[in-house]
Amino acid sequence: NPENVKRYIMPNNFEIITNDTKTDNSACEIVYNTDQFAKTKPAAIPLLSALLNEGSKFRNDVDFADDMHKNGINIYFSCDDSEIVANAEFSADDMQKALSSLKEVLLNPRFNEDVLNHLKSELKEKLEIREKNVNNKLYKELFKNLPIGYTKEDILNSIDDVTVEDLKSLYSFILNSAQGHLTVSAPFKTRPELLNAVFNETSALA
């Protein structure tokens, strides 16, 4: 229902869209996307996606995940060469905690050499058991130098060359050239205090 949707424009054109719902089951998505494509090593993109799900520089993945599980919050991050996406599902009672946790990771990713080496090993294992895609050659020709055109071999061959600085550069490139959006679905009409939580927890992202 369009009447349940409201749009707010924050500093730096950060956009917040709220969708009023009738249940306490809530969700949000933060998207930073740009029309520019980062020039980076093929393996940097899946490695950055994995690293964003490894907690923050303040908490490792186990401590972070335990805290989220304790509060019934599901959080997931992903990225490509022009977009970073953060998703969360939570009860309305835990909105502030969910948004604060998303912000913790987005502002303080766990850029760490040991973490990266662990993720490289995991990515190699996943790719080595993946069957060859018959469309790889076609995609490689059609989408040269774009992630959709990267083959399994392209990614495997570049894994060892990816550094923490590569991931930092990719992350900074997207955030610095992106337009940010936050979409939140929650019972805002019956619980107006939730809107304050949205603004308070996302002001640093705007």
Side-chain angles (χ1 to χ4, degrees), residues 89-175:
E89 297 175 344
F90 46 89
S91 166
D93 288 335
D94 297 311
M95 175 179 283
Q96 185 163 0
K97 175 76 172 178
L99 291 173
S100 175
S101 300
L102 288 175
K103 181 176 67 174
E104 176 186 335
V105 175
L106 287 169
L107 295 181
N108 307 280
R110 198 160 178 245
F111 292 123
N112 177 290
E113 194 73 40
D114 291 337
V115 172
L116 177 56
N117 288 334
H118 170 69
L119 295 175
K120 285 180 177 182
S121 297
E122 285 191 340
L123 182 57
K124 283 180 184 178
E125 288 179 12
K126 289 178 183 176
L127 290 173
E128 285 167 354
I129 62 172
R130 182 190 296 176
E131 292 185 9
K132 191 170 183 178
N133 189 332
V134 295
N135 292 320
N136 272 353
K137 188 174 180 180
L138 173 63
Y139 286 178
K140 190 173 180 67
E141 289 299 316
L142 290 176
F143 305 103
K144 286 182 179 178
N145 301 318
L146 293 177
I148 193 173
Y150 294 154
T151 65
K152 165 185 167 179
E153 290 71 25
D154 290 333
I155 296 172
L156 272 171
N157 291 337
S158 70
I159 287 178
D160 289 335
D161 295 331
V162 175
T163 66
V164 170
E165 288 305 313
D166 289 328
L167 300 191
K168 287 181 178 180
S169 295
L170 174 58
Y171 189 72
S172 297
F173 172 83
I174 297 173
L175 286 193

Coordinates of all heavy atoms in Angstrom, one line a residue, residues 89-175:
E89 N 17.0 -9.2 9.4 CA 15.6 -9.6 9.8 C 15.6 -9.6 11.3 O 16.5 -10.2 11.9 CB 15.2 -10.9 9.2 CG 15.1 -10.9 7.7 CD 14.9 -12.3 7.2 OE1 15.0 -13.3 7.9 OE2 14.5 -12.4 6.0
F90 N 14.6 -9.1 11.9 CA 14.6 -9.0 13.4 C 13.2 -8.6 13.9 O 12.3 -8.3 13.1 CB 15.5 -7.8 13.8 CG 15.3 -6.6 13.0 CD1 14.4 -5.6 13.4 CD2 16.0 -6.4 11.8 CE1 14.2 -4.4 12.6 CE2 15.8 -5.2 11.0 CZ 15.0 -4.3 11.4
S91 N 12.9 -8.8 15.2 CA 11.7 -8.3 15.8 C 11.8 -6.8 16.0 O 12.9 -6.2 16.2 CB 11.5 -9.0 17.2 OG 10.5 -8.3 17.9
A92 N 10.6 -6.1 15.9 CA 10.6 -4.7 16.1 C 11.3 -4.3 17.4 O 11.9 -3.2 17.5 CB 9.2 -4.2 16.1
D93 N 11.2 -5.1 18.5 CA 11.8 -4.8 19.7 C 13.4 -4.7 19.6 O 14.0 -4.0 20.4 CB 11.5 -5.9 20.8 CG 10.1 -5.8 21.2 OD1 9.5 -4.7 21.2 OD2 9.6 -6.8 21.7
D94 N 13.9 -5.3 18.6 CA 15.4 -5.4 18.4 C 15.9 -4.5 17.3 O 17.0 -4.7 16.8 CB 15.8 -6.8 18.2 CG 15.5 -7.7 19.4 OD1 15.9 -7.3 20.5 OD2 14.9 -8.8 19.3
M95 N 15.0 -3.6 16.8 CA 15.4 -2.8 15.7 C 16.7 -2.0 15.9 O 17.6 -2.0 15.1 CB 14.3 -1.8 15.3 CG 14.8 -0.9 14.1 SD 13.5 0.3 13.6 CE 12.5 -0.8 12.6
Q96 N 16.8 -1.4 17.1 CA 18.0 -0.6 17.3 C 19.2 -1.4 17.4 O 20.3 -1.1 16.8 CB 17.8 0.2 18.7 CG 19.0 1.1 19.0 CD 18.7 2.1 20.0 OE1 17.6 2.1 20.6 NE2 19.6 3.0 20.3
K97 N 19.1 -2.6 18.0 CA 20.2 -3.6 18.0 C 20.7 -4.0 16.6 O 21.8 -4.1 16.3 CB 19.8 -4.8 18.9 CG 20.9 -5.9 18.9 CD 22.0 -5.5 19.9 CE 22.9 -6.7 20.1 NZ 24.1 -6.4 20.9
A98 N 19.7 -4.3 15.8 CA 20.0 -4.8 14.4 C 20.7 -3.7 13.6 O 21.7 -3.9 12.9 CB 18.7 -5.2 13.7
L99 N 20.1 -2.5 13.7 CA 20.7 -1.4 12.9 C 22.1 -1.0 13.4 O 23.0 -0.7 12.6 CB 19.8 -0.2 12.9 CG 18.4 -0.3 12.2 CD1 17.6 0.9 12.5 CD2 18.7 -0.4 10.7
S100 N 22.2 -1.1 14.7 CA 23.5 -0.8 15.3 C 24.6 -1.8 14.9 O 25.7 -1.5 14.6 CB 23.4 -0.8 16.8 OG 24.6 -0.6 17.5
S101 N 24.2 -3.1 14.8 CA 25.1 -4.1 14.4 C 25.5 -4.0 12.9 O 26.6 -4.2 12.6 CB 24.4 -5.5 14.7 OG 24.2 -5.6 16.0
L102 N 24.5 -3.7 12.1 CA 24.8 -3.4 10.7 C 25.8 -2.3 10.5 O 26.8 -2.3 9.8 CB 23.5 -3.1 9.9 CG 22.6 -4.2 9.6 CD1 21.3 -3.6 9.0 CD2 23.2 -5.3 8.7
K103 N 25.6 -1.2 11.3 CA 26.4 0.0 11.3 C 27.8 -0.4 11.8 O 28.8 0.1 11.2 CB 25.8 1.1 12.1 CG 26.7 2.3 12.2 CD 25.9 3.4 13.0 CE 25.8 3.1 14.4 NZ 25.3 4.2 15.2
E104 N 27.9 -1.2 12.8 CA 29.2 -1.7 13.3 C 30.1 -2.3 12.3 O 31.3 -2.0 12.1 CB 29.0 -2.7 14.5 CG 30.3 -3.2 15.0 CD 30.0 -4.3 16.1 OE1 28.9 -4.3 16.7 OE2 30.9 -5.2 16.3
V105 N 29.5 -3.1 11.4 CA 30.3 -3.8 10.4 C 30.6 -2.9 9.2 O 31.7 -2.8 8.7 CB 29.5 -5.1 9.9 CG1 30.3 -5.7 8.7 CG2 29.3 -6.1 11.0
L106 N 29.6 -2.1 8.8 CA 29.8 -1.2 7.7 C 30.8 -0.1 7.9 O 31.6 0.2 7.1 CB 28.4 -0.5 7.3 CG 27.4 -1.4 6.6 CD1 26.1 -0.7 6.5 CD2 27.9 -1.9 5.2
L107 N 30.9 0.3 9.2 CA 31.9 1.4 9.5 C 33.2 0.8 9.9 O 34.2 1.5 9.9 CB 31.3 2.3 10.6 CG 30.1 3.1 10.3 CD1 29.7 4.0 11.5 CD2 30.3 4.0 9.1
N108 N 33.2 -0.5 10.3 CA 34.4 -1.1 10.9 C 34.6 -2.6 10.4 O 34.6 -3.5 11.2 CB 34.4 -1.1 12.4 CG 34.1 0.3 13.0 OD1 35.0 1.1 13.1 ND2 32.9 0.5 13.4
P109 N 34.7 -2.8 9.1 CA 34.9 -4.1 8.6 C 36.1 -4.8 9.2 O 37.1 -4.1 9.6 CB 35.1 -3.9 7.0 CG 34.5 -2.6 6.7 CD 34.8 -1.8 8.0
R110 N 36.1 -6.1 9.2 CA 37.2 -6.8 9.9 C 38.4 -7.1 8.9 O 38.7 -8.2 8.5 CB 36.7 -8.1 10.5 CG 37.6 -8.7 11.5 CD 36.9 -9.7 12.4 NE 37.8 -10.3 13.3 CZ 38.1 -11.6 13.3 NH1 37.5 -12.4 12.5 NH2 38.9 -12.1 14.2
F111 N 39.0 -6.0 8.4 CA 40.1 -6.1 7.5 C 41.3 -6.7 8.3 O 42.0 -5.9 9.0 CB 40.4 -4.8 6.9 CG 39.4 -4.3 5.9 CD1 38.8 -3.1 6.1 CD2 39.0 -5.1 4.8 CE1 37.8 -2.6 5.2 CE2 38.0 -4.6 3.9 CZ 37.4 -3.4 4.1
N112 N 41.6 -7.9 8.1 CA 42.6 -8.6 8.9 C 43.3 -9.7 8.1 O 42.6 -10.4 7.4 CB 41.9 -9.2 10.1 CG 42.8 -10.0 11.0 OD1 43.3 -11.1 10.7 ND2 43.0 -9.5 12.2
E113 N 44.6 -9.7 8.1 CA 45.4 -10.7 7.3 C 45.0 -12.1 7.6 O 44.9 -12.9 6.7 CB 46.9 -10.5 7.6 CG 47.8 -11.1 6.5 CD 47.8 -10.4 5.2 OE1 47.8 -9.1 5.2 OE2 47.8 -11.1 4.2
D114 N 44.9 -12.5 8.9 CA 44.6 -13.9 9.2 C 43.2 -14.2 8.7 O 43.0 -15.4 8.3 CB 44.7 -14.1 10.8 CG 46.1 -14.0 11.3 OD1 47.0 -14.2 10.5 OD2 46.3 -13.7 12.5
V115 N 42.3 -13.3 8.9 CA 40.9 -13.6 8.4 C 40.9 -13.8 6.9 O 40.3 -14.7 6.3 CB 40.0 -12.4 8.8 CG1 38.6 -12.6 8.1 CG2 39.8 -12.3 10.3
L116 N 41.6 -12.9 6.2 CA 41.7 -13.0 4.7 C 42.3 -14.4 4.3 O 41.8 -15.0 3.4 CB 42.5 -11.9 4.1 CG 42.7 -11.9 2.6 CD1 41.4 -12.0 1.9 CD2 43.6 -10.7 2.2
N117 N 43.4 -14.8 4.9 CA 44.0 -16.1 4.6 C 43.0 -17.3 4.8 O 43.0 -18.2 4.0 CB 45.3 -16.3 5.4 CG 46.4 -15.4 5.0 OD1 46.4 -14.9 3.8 ND2 47.3 -15.1 5.9
H118 N 42.3 -17.2 5.9 CA 41.3 -18.2 6.1 C 40.2 -18.2 5.0 O 39.8 -19.3 4.5 CB 40.6 -18.0 7.5 CG 39.4 -18.8 7.8 ND1 39.5 -20.2 8.0 CD2 38.1 -18.5 7.9 CE1 38.3 -20.7 8.2 NE2 37.4 -19.7 8.1
L119 N 39.7 -17.0 4.6 CA 38.7 -16.9 3.6 C 39.2 -17.4 2.2 O 38.5 -18.0 1.4 CB 38.2 -15.5 3.5 CG 37.5 -15.0 4.8 CD1 37.1 -13.5 4.6 CD2 36.2 -15.8 5.0
K120 N 40.5 -17.1 2.0 CA 41.1 -17.6 0.7 C 41.0 -19.1 0.7 O 40.7 -19.7 -0.4 CB 42.6 -17.1 0.6 CG 42.7 -15.7 0.3 CD 44.2 -15.3 0.2 CE 44.4 -13.9 -0.2 NZ 45.9 -13.5 -0.3
S121 N 41.4 -19.8 1.7 CA 41.3 -21.3 1.8 C 39.9 -21.8 1.6 O 39.7 -22.7 0.8 CB 41.9 -21.8 3.1 OG 43.2 -21.4 3.3
E122 N 39.0 -21.1 2.2 CA 37.6 -21.5 2.0 C 37.1 -21.4 0.6 O 36.4 -22.2 0.0 CB 36.6 -20.7 3.0 CG 36.7 -21.1 4.4 CD 35.6 -20.5 5.3 OE1 35.1 -19.5 4.8 OE2 35.3 -21.0 6.4
L123 N 37.4 -20.2 0.0 CA 37.0 -19.9 -1.4 C 37.6 -20.9 -2.3 O 37.0 -21.4 -3.3 CB 37.4 -18.5 -1.8 CG 37.0 -18.0 -3.1 CD1 35.4 -18.2 -3.3 CD2 37.4 -16.6 -3.4
K124 N 38.9 -21.3 -2.1 CA 39.6 -22.3 -3.0 C 38.8 -23.6 -2.9 O 38.6 -24.2 -4.0 CB 41.0 -22.4 -2.6 CG 42.0 -21.3 -3.0 CD 43.4 -21.7 -2.5 CE 44.3 -20.5 -2.9 NZ 45.7 -20.8 -2.3
E125 N 38.5 -24.0 -1.7 CA 37.8 -25.3 -1.6 C 36.5 -25.3 -2.3 O 36.1 -26.3 -2.9 CB 37.6 -25.6 -0.1 CG 38.9 -25.9 0.7 CD 38.6 -26.2 2.1 OE1 37.5 -26.3 2.5 OE2 39.6 -26.3 2.9
K126 N 35.7 -24.2 -2.1 CA 34.4 -24.1 -2.8 C 34.5 -24.2 -4.3 O 33.8 -24.8 -5.0 CB 33.7 -22.8 -2.4 CG 33.2 -22.8 -0.9 CD 32.6 -21.5 -0.6 CE 32.2 -21.4 0.9 NZ 31.6 -20.1 1.2
L127 N 35.5 -23.4 -4.8 CA 35.7 -23.4 -6.3 C 36.2 -24.7 -6.9 O 35.8 -25.0 -8.0 CB 36.6 -22.2 -6.6 CG 36.1 -20.8 -6.4 CD1 37.1 -19.8 -6.7 CD2 34.9 -20.5 -7.3
E128 N 37.0 -25.3 -6.1 CA 37.6 -26.6 -6.7 C 36.6 -27.7 -6.8 O 36.8 -28.6 -7.6 CB 38.8 -27.0 -5.8 CG 40.0 -26.1 -6.0 CD 41.1 -26.3 -5.0 OE1 40.9 -27.0 -4.0 OE2 42.2 -25.7 -5.1
I129 N 35.5 -27.6 -6.0 CA 34.5 -28.7 -6.1 C 33.4 -28.3 -7.0 O 32.5 -29.0 -7.3 CB 34.0 -29.1 -4.7 CG1 33.3 -28.0 -4.0 CG2 35.1 -29.7 -3.9 CD1 32.6 -28.4 -2.8
R130 N 33.4 -27.0 -7.5 CA 32.3 -26.5 -8.3 C 32.5 -27.0 -9.7 O 33.6 -26.9 -10.3 CB 32.3 -25.0 -8.3 CG 31.1 -24.4 -9.2 CD 31.3 -22.9 -9.3 NE 31.1 -22.2 -8.1 CZ 31.3 -20.9 -8.0 NH1 31.6 -20.1 -9.0 NH2 31.2 -20.3 -6.8
E131 N 31.4 -27.5 -10.3 CA 31.5 -28.0 -11.7 C 31.7 -26.8 -12.7 O 31.3 -25.7 -12.4 CB 30.3 -28.7 -12.1 CG 30.1 -30.0 -11.4 CD 28.9 -30.8 -11.9 OE1 28.3 -30.4 -12.9 OE2 28.5 -31.8 -11.2
K132 N 32.4 -27.0 -13.8 CA 32.7 -26.0 -14.7 C 31.4 -25.6 -15.4 O 30.5 -26.4 -15.8 CB 33.6 -26.5 -15.8 CG 34.2 -25.4 -16.7 CD 35.3 -25.9 -17.6 CE 35.9 -24.8 -18.5 NZ 37.0 -25.3 -19.3
N133 N 31.1 -24.3 -15.5 CA 29.9 -23.7 -16.1 C 30.1 -23.7 -17.6 O 31.0 -23.0 -18.1 CB 29.7 -22.3 -15.5 CG 28.3 -21.8 -15.9 OD1 27.8 -22.1 -17.0 ND2 27.8 -20.9 -15.1
V134 N 29.2 -24.3 -18.3 CA 29.3 -24.3 -19.8 C 29.2 -22.9 -20.4 O 29.6 -22.7 -21.6 CB 28.3 -25.3 -20.4 CG1 28.5 -26.7 -20.0 CG2 26.8 -24.8 -20.1
N135 N 28.6 -22.0 -19.7 CA 28.4 -20.6 -20.2 C 29.6 -19.7 -19.9 O 29.6 -18.6 -20.3 CB 27.1 -20.0 -19.5 CG 25.9 -20.7 -20.0 OD1 25.7 -21.0 -21.2 ND2 24.9 -20.9 -19.1
N136 N 30.6 -20.3 -19.2 CA 31.7 -19.4 -18.8 C 32.4 -18.7 -20.0 O 32.7 -17.6 -20.0 CB 32.8 -20.3 -18.1 CG 32.5 -20.3 -16.6 OD1 31.6 -19.6 -16.1 ND2 33.3 -21.2 -15.9
K137 N 32.6 -19.5 -21.1 CA 33.3 -18.9 -22.2 C 32.5 -17.8 -22.9 O 33.0 -16.8 -23.3 CB 33.6 -20.0 -23.3 CG 34.4 -19.6 -24.4 CD 34.8 -20.7 -25.3 CE 35.7 -20.2 -26.5 NZ 36.1 -21.4 -27.4
L138 N 31.2 -18.0 -23.0 CA 30.3 -17.0 -23.6 C 30.3 -15.8 -22.7 O 30.4 -14.7 -23.2 CB 28.8 -17.6 -23.7 CG 27.8 -16.6 -24.1 CD1 28.0 -16.1 -25.5 CD2 26.4 -17.3 -24.0
Y139 N 30.1 -16.0 -21.4 CA 30.1 -14.8 -20.5 C 31.4 -14.1 -20.5 O 31.4 -12.8 -20.4 CB 29.8 -15.3 -19.0 CG 28.3 -15.7 -18.8 CD1 27.9 -16.1 -17.5 CD2 27.4 -15.6 -19.8 CE1 26.6 -16.5 -17.3 CE2 26.1 -16.0 -19.5 CZ 25.7 -16.4 -18.3 OH 24.4 -16.8 -18.0
K140 N 32.5 -14.8 -20.6 CA 33.8 -14.1 -20.6 C 33.9 -13.2 -21.8 O 34.5 -12.1 -21.8 CB 34.9 -15.2 -20.6 CG 36.3 -14.6 -20.4 CD 37.3 -15.8 -20.2 CE 38.7 -15.2 -20.0 NZ 38.8 -14.6 -18.7
E141 N 33.4 -13.6 -23.0 CA 33.4 -12.8 -24.2 C 32.5 -11.6 -24.1 O 32.8 -10.5 -24.5 CB 33.1 -13.7 -25.4 CG 34.2 -14.7 -25.8 CD 35.5 -14.0 -26.1 OE1 35.5 -13.0 -26.8 OE2 36.6 -14.4 -25.6
L142 N 31.3 -11.9 -23.6 CA 30.2 -10.9 -23.6 C 30.5 -9.8 -22.5 O 30.1 -8.6 -22.7 CB 28.8 -11.5 -23.4 CG 28.3 -12.3 -24.5 CD1 26.9 -12.9 -24.0 CD2 28.0 -11.4 -25.7
F143 N 31.1 -10.2 -21.4 CA 31.2 -9.3 -20.3 C 32.7 -9.2 -19.9 O 33.0 -9.5 -18.7 CB 30.4 -9.8 -19.1 CG 28.9 -10.0 -19.4 CD1 28.4 -11.2 -19.7 CD2 28.1 -8.9 -19.6 CE1 27.0 -11.4 -20.0 CE2 26.8 -9.0 -19.9 CZ 26.2 -10.3 -20.1
K144 N 33.5 -8.9 -20.8 CA 35.0 -8.8 -20.5 C 35.2 -7.7 -19.4 O 34.7 -6.7 -19.4 CB 35.7 -8.3 -21.8 CG 35.9 -9.4 -22.8 CD 36.7 -8.9 -24.0 CE 36.8 -10.0 -25.0 NZ 37.6 -9.6 -26.2
N145 N 36.0 -8.1 -18.4 CA 36.5 -7.3 -17.3 C 35.3 -6.9 -16.4 O 35.5 -6.0 -15.5 CB 37.1 -6.0 -17.9 CG 38.3 -6.3 -18.7 OD1 39.1 -7.1 -18.4 ND2 38.4 -5.5 -19.8
L146 N 34.2 -7.6 -16.5 CA 33.1 -7.4 -15.5 C 33.0 -8.7 -14.7 O 33.2 -9.8 -15.2 CB 31.8 -7.1 -16.2 CG 31.8 -5.7 -16.9 CD1 30.4 -5.5 -17.6 CD2 32.0 -4.6 -15.9
P147 N 32.5 -8.7 -13.4 CA 32.4 -9.9 -12.6 C 31.6 -11.0 -13.2 O 32.0 -12.2 -13.1 CB 31.7 -9.3 -11.3 CG 32.2 -7.9 -11.3 CD 32.2 -7.4 -12.7
I148 N 30.5 -10.7 -13.9 CA 29.7 -11.7 -14.5 C 30.5 -12.5 -15.6 O 30.2 -13.7 -15.9 CB 28.4 -11.2 -15.2 CG1 27.5 -12.3 -15.5 CG2 28.7 -10.3 -16.4 CD1 26.1 -11.8 -15.9
G149 N 31.6 -11.9 -16.1 CA 32.4 -12.5 -17.1 C 33.6 -13.3 -16.5 O 34.3 -14.0 -17.2
Y150 N 33.8 -13.2 -15.1 CA 34.9 -13.9 -14.5 C 34.6 -15.4 -14.4 O 33.5 -15.8 -14.0 CB 35.2 -13.4 -13.1 CG 35.7 -12.0 -13.0 CD1 35.4 -11.2 -11.9 CD2 36.4 -11.4 -14.0 CE1 35.9 -9.9 -11.8 CE2 36.8 -10.1 -14.0 CZ 36.6 -9.3 -12.8 OH 37.0 -8.0 -12.7
T151 N 35.5 -16.2 -14.8 CA 35.3 -17.7 -14.8 C 35.9 -18.2 -13.4 O 36.6 -17.5 -12.7 CB 36.1 -18.4 -15.9 OG1 37.5 -18.1 -15.7 CG2 35.6 -17.8 -17.3
K152 N 35.5 -19.4 -13.2 CA 36.1 -20.1 -12.0 C 37.6 -20.0 -12.0 O 38.2 -19.7 -11.0 CB 35.6 -21.5 -12.0 CG 36.3 -22.5 -11.0 CD 35.8 -23.9 -11.2 CE 36.7 -24.9 -10.6 NZ 36.2 -26.3 -10.7
E153 N 38.2 -20.2 -13.2 CA 39.6 -20.2 -13.3 C 40.2 -18.8 -13.0 O 41.3 -18.6 -12.4 CB 40.1 -20.7 -14.7 CG 39.9 -22.2 -14.9 CD 38.4 -22.6 -15.0 OE1 37.6 -21.7 -15.4 OE2 38.0 -23.7 -14.8
D154 N 39.5 -17.7 -13.5 CA 39.9 -16.4 -13.3 C 40.0 -16.1 -11.8 O 41.0 -15.5 -11.3 CB 38.9 -15.4 -13.9 CG 39.0 -15.4 -15.4 OD1 40.0 -15.7 -16.0 OD2 38.0 -15.0 -16.0
I155 N 39.0 -16.5 -11.0 CA 39.0 -16.3 -9.6 C 40.0 -17.1 -8.9 O 40.8 -16.6 -8.1 CB 37.6 -16.6 -9.0 CG1 36.5 -15.6 -9.6 CG2 37.5 -16.5 -7.5 CD1 35.1 -16.0 -9.3
L156 N 40.1 -18.4 -9.2 CA 41.1 -19.2 -8.6 C 42.6 -18.7 -8.8 O 43.4 -18.7 -7.9 CB 41.0 -20.7 -9.1 CG 40.1 -21.6 -8.5 CD1 39.9 -22.9 -9.2 CD2 40.5 -21.9 -7.0
N157 N 42.8 -18.2 -10.0 CA 44.2 -17.8 -10.4 C 44.5 -16.5 -9.7 O 45.7 -16.1 -9.6 CB 44.3 -17.6 -11.9 CG 44.3 -18.9 -12.6 OD1 44.6 -20.0 -12.0 ND2 43.9 -18.9 -13.9
S158 N 43.5 -15.7 -9.2 CA 43.8 -14.4 -8.5 C 43.8 -14.5 -7.0 O 44.1 -13.5 -6.4 CB 42.9 -13.4 -9.1 OG 41.6 -13.5 -8.6
I159 N 43.3 -15.6 -6.5 CA 43.1 -15.6 -5.0 C 44.3 -15.3 -4.2 O 44.3 -14.4 -3.3 CB 42.5 -17.0 -4.6 CG1 41.1 -17.2 -5.0 CG2 42.6 -17.2 -3.1 CD1 40.5 -18.5 -4.7
D160 N 45.4 -15.9 -4.6 CA 46.7 -15.7 -3.8 C 47.2 -14.3 -3.9 O 48.0 -13.9 -3.0 CB 47.7 -16.7 -4.2 CG 47.4 -18.2 -3.8 OD1 46.7 -18.3 -2.8 OD2 47.9 -19.1 -4.5
D161 N 46.8 -13.6 -5.0 CA 47.3 -12.2 -5.2 C 46.5 -11.2 -4.4 O 47.0 -10.0 -4.3 CB 47.3 -11.9 -6.7 CG 48.3 -12.8 -7.5 OD1 49.3 -13.2 -6.9 OD2 48.0 -13.1 -8.6
V162 N 45.4 -11.5 -3.9 CA 44.5 -10.5 -3.3 C 45.1 -10.2 -1.9 O 45.4 -11.1 -1.1 CB 43.1 -11.0 -3.1 CG1 42.2 -10.0 -2.3 CG2 42.4 -11.2 -4.5
T163 N 45.2 -8.9 -1.6 CA 45.7 -8.4 -0.3 C 44.6 -7.7 0.5 O 43.5 -7.4 -0.1 CB 46.9 -7.5 -0.5 OG1 46.3 -6.3 -1.1 CG2 48.0 -8.1 -1.4
V164 N 44.9 -7.5 1.7 CA 43.9 -6.7 2.6 C 43.7 -5.3 2.0 O 42.6 -4.8 1.9 CB 44.5 -6.6 4.0 CG1 43.6 -5.6 4.8 CG2 44.4 -8.0 4.7
E165 N 44.8 -4.8 1.4 CA 44.7 -3.4 0.8 C 43.8 -3.5 -0.4 O 43.1 -2.5 -0.7 CB 46.1 -2.9 0.4 CG 46.9 -2.5 1.6 CD 46.2 -1.5 2.5 OE1 45.7 -0.5 1.9 OE2 46.2 -1.7 3.7
D166 N 43.8 -4.6 -1.2 CA 42.9 -4.7 -2.3 C 41.4 -4.6 -1.8 O 40.6 -4.0 -2.5 CB 43.1 -6.0 -3.0 CG 44.4 -6.1 -3.8 OD1 44.8 -5.0 -4.3 OD2 45.0 -7.2 -3.9
L167 N 41.1 -5.3 -0.7 CA 39.8 -5.3 -0.2 C 39.4 -4.0 0.3 O 38.2 -3.5 0.1 CB 39.6 -6.4 0.9 CG 39.9 -7.8 0.5 CD1 39.4 -8.8 1.6 CD2 39.2 -8.2 -0.9
K168 N 40.3 -3.3 1.0 CA 40.0 -2.0 1.5 C 39.8 -1.0 0.3 O 38.9 -0.2 0.4 CB 41.2 -1.4 2.3 CG 41.4 -2.1 3.7 CD 42.6 -1.5 4.4 CE 42.7 -2.0 5.8 NZ 43.9 -1.4 6.5
S169 N 40.5 -1.1 -0.7 CA 40.4 -0.2 -1.9 C 39.0 -0.5 -2.6 O 38.3 0.5 -3.0 CB 41.5 -0.5 -2.9 OG 42.7 -0.1 -2.4
L170 N 38.7 -1.7 -2.7 CA 37.4 -2.0 -3.4 C 36.2 -1.5 -2.5 O 35.3 -0.9 -3.0 CB 37.2 -3.6 -3.5 CG 35.9 -4.1 -4.0 CD1 35.5 -3.5 -5.4 CD2 35.9 -5.6 -4.1
Y171 N 36.3 -1.7 -1.2 CA 35.3 -1.3 -0.3 C 35.2 0.3 -0.3 O 34.1 0.8 -0.4 CB 35.6 -1.8 1.1 CG 34.5 -1.5 2.1 CD1 33.4 -2.3 2.1 CD2 34.7 -0.6 3.1 CE1 32.4 -2.1 3.1 CE2 33.7 -0.4 4.1 CZ 32.5 -1.2 4.0 OH 31.5 -1.0 5.0
S172 N 36.3 0.9 -0.2 CA 36.3 2.4 -0.2 C 35.8 3.0 -1.5 O 35.0 3.9 -1.6 CB 37.7 2.9 0.1 OG 38.1 2.6 1.3
F173 N 36.2 2.3 -2.6 CA 35.7 2.8 -4.0 C 34.2 2.8 -4.0 O 33.6 3.8 -4.5 CB 36.3 1.9 -5.1 CG 35.7 2.2 -6.4 CD1 36.2 3.2 -7.2 CD2 34.6 1.5 -6.9 CE1 35.7 3.5 -8.4 CE2 34.1 1.8 -8.2 CZ 34.6 2.8 -8.9
I174 N 33.6 1.7 -3.6 CA 32.1 1.6 -3.7 C 31.4 2.6 -2.8 O 30.6 3.4 -3.2 CB 31.6 0.2 -3.4 CG1 32.2 -0.8 -4.4 CG2 30.1 0.1 -3.4 CD1 31.9 -2.3 -4.1
L175 N 31.9 2.7 -1.5 CA 31.2 3.6 -0.6 C 31.4 5.0 -1.0 O 30.5 5.8 -0.8 CB 31.8 3.3 0.8 CG 31.3 2.1 1.6 CD1 31.7 2.2 3.0 CD2 29.8 1.8 1.5

